Amino acid sequence: MAVWYEAHATANLYLSPLSIGEIQHGIERLRPRDPVRAAKLERLLLGIIAAYADRIAPFTAEAAREWGRMHLKQRCR
């Protein structure tokens, strides 16, 4: 993945708010078992959010519908 990331201009990369939510969800699931690791991951996530502050894609109604479709496909596997 580092090769792909390095090959693209950071200014052209956006972050999905759904990705942020999914990562936060994972952190919260981890927190009861390993609060130290969860805190470390949360700091990392906050740093990523800060780095992408002006490049977090808007979450539109159509994006929400597509997320719902994708989420169901993941659950059905």
Side-chain angles (χ1 to χ4, degrees):
M1 181 165 161
V3 174
W4 181 93
Y5 181 81
E6 291 169 0
H8 293 79
T10 304
N12 295 331
L13 300 178
Y14 282 74
L15 182 61
S16 167
L18 291 173
S19 295
I20 296 169
E22 291 288 343
I23 294 168
Q24 188 69 51
H25 177 78
I27 291 169
E28 297 309 323
R29 288 185 58 177
L30 175 64
R31 196 177 306 278
R33 295 186 319 272
D34 192 342
V36 173
R37 185 168 176 219
K40 181 178 178 180
L41 291 171
E42 190 161 40
R43 284 191 302 277
L44 178 63
L45 177 59
L46 291 173
I48 292 169
I49 292 169
Y52 280 82
D54 61 337
R55 295 182 322 274
I56 296 176
F59 189 60
T60 64
E62 187 54 36
R65 293 182 68 219
E66 186 59 29
W67 177 84
R69 290 182 201 108
M70 291 170 52
H71 192 66
L72 177 63
K73 289 176 187 174
Q74 285 180 337
R75 298 268 182 194
C76 292
R77 289 184 188 172

